[in-house]
Amino acid sequence: MVQAQRKMQTQVGTAEQGDTEAQLSIRNLSKIFKTGDGVTDISLDVQPGEMVTLLGPSGCGKTTVLRSIGGFLEPDSGDILIRGRSVLNLPPEKRPTAMVFQSYNLWPHMTVQDNLAFGLKIRKRKKVEIERSVTEALELVQLSGAARKYPGELSGGQQQRVALARALLLQPDVLLLDEPFSALDAKLRMEMREELREIQTKTGMTMVFVTHDQEEALSISDRIVVMHAGKIEQLSTPQDIYDRPGSLFVASFIGRINLMRSISDGQHIAVGSKVVQQDGSTSIPAGACTLAVRPEDLYLTGEPDSLEGTIRQVMVLGHYAEVSIHCEQEHLKMFVPREQAAELHSGQAVKVGFHKFTAFSEVSS
Amino acid sequence: MNWYFRSLGARRIVEFVLLVVFVIFFLGPLLNLLILAVSGKWQYPAALPQSWSLEWWQFVLSQDDVLESISLSFLIATVVTVCSIIVCIPAAYAFARIAFPLSRWFLFSFLLTHAFPKMGLYVSIAVLFYKFGLMNTFLGIVLIHMVNTLMFMTWIPSSAFRSVHRAQEESARDAGAGPLRVFWKITLPMAFPGIMVASIFTFLSSLDEAQGTLLVGIPDFKTMPIIMYSIIADYPNTTGAVFSVILTLPTVILLVAARRFVSADVLAGGFQVK
């Protein structure tokens, strides 16, 4: 927790120094609804060409932040700058942003062509130019030939592609995506993710992506902002967030993780009677703490002083197997290669070690 | 033959009989009317007329006041429809989009004009109309027709506006359109079917209105339904039949032309108080 806060402060610190380069800069944004939900003191800098994901459970305020950027919500306080210019007083139509909505929001009474050309006509582009851009945009989202169709004649995935193309055509300084793929089925969602990432590389567009799907966030983002109860819990790269979760919330929200009750004396951490961190390097204050270990960071060992447990179940899930171990009154999940799983059976006594783990003090929180 | 009915089952047979009764009940009188309109002589107990003729058509259409009444009725219906659209569409949009206190009660109050006995309502309106000099005027008739059409014209388009998702308007704002352009290019076209249906109802109900017109429009304004009363009273049945066909024709034509828009969904949506 302490570590995470320090990290956040340095992030915010660098942001304040480098405002000239940030494409989008949110400063101390607060918005509280009548219901008491909302966000407080959100600060975030997005660099040009970066894809930043706001991730969190529903109701954590991620959509509030996005809608504030797009101009659909008026924040109570704070500022939003795009390329160094405050956009707070601009209505949505004047902001250099474009949004892709969860529910596609194509206009059913217009053809795909007209849907795409709508924004360009308002910008008074030449007819030939509009025609060309629309064709290019449809090519980019792999929907050439759908121009004359009506949205109702397209599948969900195709409609979302059109919606994406419509937003891209506006050439926004920042593209906002509000859970764009959550209405699609799992397979299509994966495809769209890849496609979006490809489009982002091709166009170099700055994107802010909102999702509650941690897998989606991990797979497509340059940086992830984990939000919880209206506040930023952690802001870092996907790798870092997965390997070094800044708080217990982040640890349990992202990826699968085993949580174990443990105790710290300020230097060492122990689970039950076994000391798991002996080098005295821990920064966790003395008292109760929670140990978080990813299933892939557990291993079976023969070392004498390690944790002892009993295998409860072995489940083969394709190329790997999931092993449940009962250990110190906790149920641990562990991933092992399939070959190794063949030698394991339920009821077997084993010893487990940790490749790495993160400890969170329960004293400070 | 028996095996066939047995295989159908009692339920199917009852359903079929009910359907036939239903069809006869609804279409029988209409068929009778059509035949009557083109018959010359048709005496009981013959199933079909003894002679066919179009002479009553000739008679009806040669009456000057009949032709005048037809054009007057259509003129009034058109003016009523246009005025209702101008008055009610903004109101419908407000009911759908703007949360103001008691909005549900206001919407509900539109039903009140349909809750009282019409004649009682018209008589009290007539008292007001006398004071304002609106009796026996075109404007008076248009106003009295609009009393009836307010409900359709507000309820149905209001539900149509409500079915346009706010997010669809938002995405248009996002694309660079100002509020006014969003209304013209997105909201209005998407609500168009509902507005169309309401307009057709307004037009038809105005075309068909007799009570109010009789009270407010006499003696100078004789619309089709008014003329029809006197024709039915003064001439043989056949004229009434001919006239009914003339009155029904615009209804049928309009509904067929607009059948793309008229659906149970649109109507049902219109009568939900949300």
Side-chain angles (χ1 to χ4, degrees):
Chain A
M1 199 65 182
V2 180
Q3 200 184 353
Q5 272 165 1
R6 200 177 307 134
K7 201 177 294 162
M8 265 166 56
Q9 275 157 7
T10 50
Q11 294 267 2
V12 173
T14 48
E16 273 163 8
Q17 286 149 17
D19 3 277
T20 42
E21 17 171 19
Q23 184 86 352
L24 166 72
S25 177
I26 301 172
R27 291 184 185 167
N28 309 102
L29 181 82
S30 291
K31 168 82 191 175
I32 303 292
F33 295 103
K34 278 188 205 133
T35 55
D37 292 342
V39 296
T40 40
D41 205 22
I42 299 289
S43 292
L44 169 70
D45 271 282
V46 181
Q47 304 306 317
E50 197 181 20
M51 160 114 63
V52 170
T53 301
L54 305 180
L55 172 67
S58 56
C60 72
K62 51 198 191 306
T63 300
T64 307
V65 174
L66 198 77
R67 289 176 65 81
S68 301
I69 304 171
F72 300 112
L73 274 179
E74 202 181 322
D76 297 336
S77 65
D79 201 358
I80 296 166
L81 294 97
I82 294 175
R83 302 176 83 173
R85 211 164 54 94
S86 173
V87 294
L88 216 54
N89 295 320
L90 298 177
E93 63 267 27
K94 295 269 188 325
R95 295 198 183 191
T97 56
M99 190 134 153
V100 179
F101 296 80
Q102 180 178 1
S103 47
Y104 326 141
N105 289 334
L106 298 176
W107 305 301
H109 60 292
M110 299 181 187
T111 59
V112 168
Q113 165 91 28
D114 292 338
N115 264 282
L116 294 180
F118 185 78
L120 299 178
K121 277 184 193 151
I122 292 171
R123 283 168 175 71
K124 303 228 164 19
R125 297 278 167 76
K126 287 199 198 79
K127 216 173 167 193
V128 193
E129 199 187 326
I130 292 178
E131 197 88 12
R132 205 192 53 227
S133 326
V134 167
T135 315
E136 278 174 13
L138 281 175
E139 249 164 57
L140 192 64
V141 296
Q142 305 179 11
L143 268 179
S144 311
R148 302 265 157 254
K149 288 188 178 162
Y150 282 91
E153 299 167 319
L154 303 176
S155 70
Q158 289 172 323
Q159 288 192 41
Q160 193 55 293
R161 284 204 187 111
V162 175
L164 182 61
R166 184 174 68 182
L168 289 171
L169 270 173
L170 301 172
Q171 294 179 312
D173 287 341
V174 183
L175 182 67
L176 309 170
L177 302 110
D178 186 8
E179 309 214 11
F181 308 143
S182 57
L184 308 176
D185 62 60
K187 189 161 169 270
L188 203 53
R189 204 152 55 213
M190 302 262 250
E191 280 174 30
M192 291 294 288
R193 246 181 242 168
E194 274 170 37
E195 242 172 77
L196 180 69
R197 198 60 169 140
E198 215 165 279
I199 287 169
Q200 205 236 356
T201 330
K202 245 186 253 177
T203 57
M205 202 170 270
T206 312
M207 297 186 185
V208 179
F209 192 100
V210 158
T211 183
H212 62 265
D213 180 348
Q214 41 104 6
E215 193 186 306
E216 191 163 85
L218 289 170
S219 61
I220 61 171
S221 325
D222 291 314
R223 281 192 298 156
I224 297 177
V225 181
V226 184
M227 292 185 65
H228 176 48
K231 290 204 169 68
I232 293 181
E233 284 274 330
Q234 190 172 7
L235 194 168
S236 196
T237 60
Q239 195 75 44
D240 198 38
I241 282 190
Y242 189 82
D243 288 339
R244 282 176 290 279
S247 68
L248 194 56
F249 171 79
V250 176
S252 53
F253 187 70
I254 291 177
R256 297 185 58 180
I257 205 150
N258 296 300
L259 299 176
M260 300 177 83
R261 270 170 305 212
S262 53
I263 257 182
S264 162
D265 66 355
Q267 279 153 358
H268 310 89
I269 293 174
V271 176
S273 57
K274 298 286 195 286
V275 176
V276 291
Q277 185 166 22
Q278 291 154 330
D279 58 1
S281 65
T282 183
S283 59
I284 301 296
C289 62
T290 303
L291 211 62
V293 195
R294 302 251 175 232
E296 63 269 29
D297 292 333
L298 277 170
Y299 62 93
L300 296 177
T301 174
E303 286 166 41
D305 264 344
S306 39
L307 289 168
E308 286 166 9
T310 323
I311 295 182
R312 294 176 63 236
Q313 204 176 30
V314 181
M315 272 196 290
V316 178
L317 304 168
H319 67 280
Y320 69 101
E322 188 184 298
V323 181
S324 315
I325 298 168
H326 188 76
C327 169
E328 300 284 345
Q329 280 123 46
E330 316 266 0
H331 293 303
L332 302 181
K333 298 271 184 202
M334 169 184 180
F335 297 150
V336 298
R338 203 181 43 200
E339 297 80 38
Q340 196 188 340
E343 296 159 18
L344 303 173
H345 54 85
S346 60
Q348 189 178 344
V350 287
K351 289 181 174 178
V352 290
F354 307 144
H355 287 301
K356 61 175 182 248
F357 61 84
T358 321
F360 301 98
S361 172
E362 283 165 25
V363 181
S364 67
S365 66
Chain B
M1 209 53 192
N2 256 338
W3 64 267
Y4 180 70
F5 287 118
R6 230 175 287 135
S7 75
L8 274 181
R11 193 193 152 91
R12 275 300 181 82
I13 294 171
V14 170
E15 276 173 5
F16 181 74
V17 170
L18 276 177
L19 181 71
V20 169
V21 170
F22 213 63
V23 167
I24 291 173
F25 184 76
F26 271 101
L27 295 183
L30 263 179
L31 194 67
N32 180 50
L33 192 77
L34 280 175
I35 296 174
L36 191 62
V38 291
S39 63
K41 191 175 148 215
W42 192 4
Q43 268 166 349
Y44 186 78
L48 286 173
Q50 282 89 0
S51 68
W52 305 88
S53 142
L54 289 175
E55 60 173 318
W56 290 107
W57 284 84
Q58 226 168 4
F59 170 75
V60 167
L61 292 175
S62 66
Q63 303 266 315
D64 276 349
D65 56 345
V66 170
L67 289 179
E68 258 169 46
S69 80
I70 292 176
S71 58
L72 179 66
S73 272
F74 274 82
L75 178 66
I76 290 175
T78 310
V79 171
V80 166
T81 308
V82 170
C83 289
S84 300
I85 288 175
I86 293 170
V87 173
C88 295
I89 296 303
Y93 185 77
F95 279 121
R97 278 289 186 264
I98 304 165
F100 53 90
L102 295 180
S103 73
R104 196 185 292 198
W105 282 104
F106 274 112
L107 200 56
F108 198 68
S109 72
F110 283 70
L111 202 63
L112 284 180
T113 56
H114 291 253
F116 297 115
K118 280 279 159 59
M119 220 45 192
L121 185 71
Y122 292 153
V123 168
S124 49
I125 290 179
V127 174
L128 273 177
F129 275 21
Y130 264 119
K131 288 214 171 113
F132 293 114
L134 287 169
M135 291 305 268
N136 197 19
T137 60
F138 190 80
L139 180 64
I141 294 175
V142 169
L143 286 178
I144 207 108
H145 282 197
M146 280 174 72
V147 168
N148 284 323
T149 60
L150 278 181
M151 192 188 73
F152 306 130
M153 266 324 247
T154 314
W155 282 34
I156 298 177
S158 168
S159 115
F161 282 131
R162 236 185 328 236
S163 71
V164 178
H165 292 295
R166 241 174 239 265
Q168 271 163 327
E169 296 177 328
E170 279 178 352
S171 59
R173 288 291 292 276
D174 201 51
L180 214 62
R181 196 198 298 258
V182 171
F183 181 78
W184 277 112
K185 296 275 183 179
I186 307 296
T187 319
L188 199 60
M190 282 176 69
F192 184 72
I195 295 170
M196 193 67 201
V197 166
S199 307
I200 289 171
F201 272 20
T202 299
F203 191 84
L204 294 180
S205 95
S206 168
L207 216 53
D208 205 33
E209 216 286 334
Q211 289 176 318
T213 320
L214 194 63
L215 198 70
V216 174
I218 44 169
D220 292 349
F221 293 91
K222 287 183 179 156
T223 59
M224 277 202 290
I226 306 261
I227 290 282
M228 182 153 160
Y229 279 144
S230 55
I231 284 187
I232 289 173
D234 300 343
Y235 295 95
N237 271 350
T238 323
T239 24
V242 168
F243 214 81
S244 301
V245 173
I246 296 178
L247 255 179
T248 319
L249 223 52
T251 316
V252 174
I253 292 172
L254 265 176
L255 286 178
V256 167
R259 69 182 183 285
R260 194 153 67 87
F261 302 117
V262 183
S263 73
D265 281 352
V266 175
L267 291 182
F271 295 108
Q272 285 166 357
V273 180
K274 273 177 221 153

